[in-house]
Amino acid sequence: MADYNRHGHAYAAQGYGAGGGYGHTPPPSAPPAPTASAPPASYSSPTSSYGYGGQGGYPPSYPPPPPPQAGGFGFGYGYGYGGGAVAFPPGTHPDVERAFRAADRDGSGAIDERELQGALSAAYHRFSIRTVRLLMFLFSDPASSSPSRMGPAQFVSLWNCLGQWRGIFDRYDRDRSGKIDSSELTEALRSLGYAVPPSVIELLIANYNNGVPRNGALDFDNFVECGMIVKGLTEKFKEKDTRYTGSATLTYDGFLSMVIPFIVP
């Protein structure tokens, strides 16, 4: 039995809208929360050495890293956007506010994909527009009248989430190359509870290396996109795997509906 939540990885109520922060339900596609469990182990179904569920998480006492150039902060949600003053969640770090305001050049209180790309590229390295579009899909409020734009609450949630992914990236970039190779990617995903088989690791690397898996490696934005896709598709699959066996039956329509939003954001 694939024990998804044995060590507190309770994703069922997480969803894919605006989420919380440290001390709250993780934001959408944030890595699994830290746990005081034993060192990472394999996540698998009874018939395979690869899969998900079971033990894992961060090593003992490994805290979620803060966003870049910012202290820790917690926040709540419920803020809309439109004209007028921009309302940030309580406790938002000034650096995050400044990043949003700098990106929101027209002062509308919301940013589009190009503005988000500029904000993230200034904080890290250049983010590809493909990765940015996936982030917009995952973090924008679907109930908003402008789902193609991101308000301050969603931006703070995204910033928080990327801070956590950055900590994982830095931890598993063991040679300090600024890239994650196939072995480092395998370890990073396994630490989060995803024992991805080598054949899939090769596909993931090749996807960001002009179709060639050998000697390929992921920049930070590719790593974030890769991690969020693995996490997101696993969560969607788990919705069908109601008995946690590591297998599920899907209709053709259901399969396409599950996969396409992640590959065509």
Side-chain angles (χ1 to χ4, degrees), residues 167-224:
I168 297 166
F169 182 91
D170 289 343
R171 182 165 187 263
Y172 287 94
D173 178 20
R174 302 194 189 282
D175 59 2
R176 296 297 180 260
S177 65
K179 294 178 180 288
I180 293 286
D181 62 25
S182 59
S183 63
E184 293 167 337
L185 179 61
T186 299
E187 291 184 45
L189 293 176
R190 186 180 295 273
S191 79
L192 299 176
Y194 308 115
V196 180
S199 59
V200 176
I201 292 292
E202 289 186 5
L203 288 174
L204 292 170
I205 293 291
N207 188 45
Y208 302 100
N209 193 41
N210 297 320
V212 180
R214 180 171 296 181
N215 299 324
L218 307 182
D219 293 321
F220 177 61
D221 65 325
N222 297 152
F223 173 72
V224 169

Side-chain angles (χ1 to χ4, degrees), residues 18-19 28 105 117 125 173 181 209 213 215 224 230 237-238 250:
R105 296 180 180 178
Q117 183 184 34
H125 77 110
D173 178 20
D181 62 25
N209 193 41
N215 299 324
V224 169
V230 169
F237 184 85
K238 282 162 53 181
L250 288 79

Side-chain angles (χ1 to χ4, degrees), residues 1 8 16 18 27 62 77 108 116 119 147 181 184 253 262:
M1 176 174 176
Y16 290 89
Y62 185 71
Y77 294 92
S108 65
L116 178 60
D181 62 25
E184 293 167 337
D253 289 349
F262 289 93

Side-chain angles (χ1 to χ4, degrees), residues 15-263:
Y16 290 89
Y22 299 135
H24 301 277
T25 300
S29 287
T35 173
S37 66
S42 175
Y43 284 66
S44 62
S45 67
T47 59
S48 172
S49 60
Y50 303 102
Y52 44 83
Q55 299 176 350
Y58 297 100
S61 301
Y62 185 71
Q69 301 178 350
F73 49 87
F75 40 84
Y77 294 92
Y79 294 84
Y81 52 85
V86 177
F88 287 91
T92 299
H93 194 281
D95 287 349
V96 182
E97 290 193 24
R98 281 192 289 269
F100 182 86
R101 294 184 190 279
D104 181 20
R105 296 180 180 178
D106 60 2
S108 65
I111 57 176
D112 60 24
E113 63 183 30
R114 292 293 178 180
E115 292 170 325
L116 178 60
Q117 183 184 34
L120 298 181
S121 297
Y124 297 97
H125 77 110
R126 182 166 178 79
F127 267 58
S128 70
I129 194 63
R130 184 175 79 170
T131 302
V132 170
R133 285 171 179 162
L134 177 63
L135 297 176
M136 290 288 290
F137 162 69
L138 292 172
F139 283 83
S140 294
D141 182 1
S144 167
S145 59
S146 302
S148 62
R149 296 173 67 81
M150 180 177 291
Q154 292 77 34
F155 181 81
V156 172
S157 179
L158 170 59
W159 198 276
N160 177 34
C161 177
L162 291 178
Q164 296 179 58
W165 282 110
R166 184 74 212 194
I168 297 166
F169 182 91
D170 289 343
R171 182 165 187 263
Y172 287 94
D173 178 20
R174 302 194 189 282
D175 59 2
R176 296 297 180 260
S177 65
K179 294 178 180 288
I180 293 286
D181 62 25
S182 59
S183 63
E184 293 167 337
L185 179 61
T186 299
E187 291 184 45
L189 293 176
R190 186 180 295 273
S191 79
L192 299 176
Y194 308 115
V196 180
S199 59
V200 176
I201 292 292
E202 289 186 5
L203 288 174
L204 292 170
I205 293 291
N207 188 45
Y208 302 100
N209 193 41
N210 297 320
V212 180
R214 180 171 296 181
N215 299 324
L218 307 182
D219 293 321
F220 177 61
D221 65 325
N222 297 152
F223 173 72
V224 169
E225 181 179 336
C226 174
M228 289 187 175
I229 288 173
V230 169
K231 178 181 182 295
L233 287 176
T234 299
E235 295 309 309
K236 289 296 185 182
F237 184 85
K238 282 162 53 181
E239 293 174 6
K240 305 298 183 181
D241 181 17
T242 56
R243 299 181 64 185
Y244 295 173
T245 62
S247 63
T249 300
L250 288 79
T251 64
Y252 181 59
D253 289 349
F255 170 75
L256 293 180
S257 298
M258 176 189 298
V259 173
I260 285 178
F262 289 93
I263 61 175

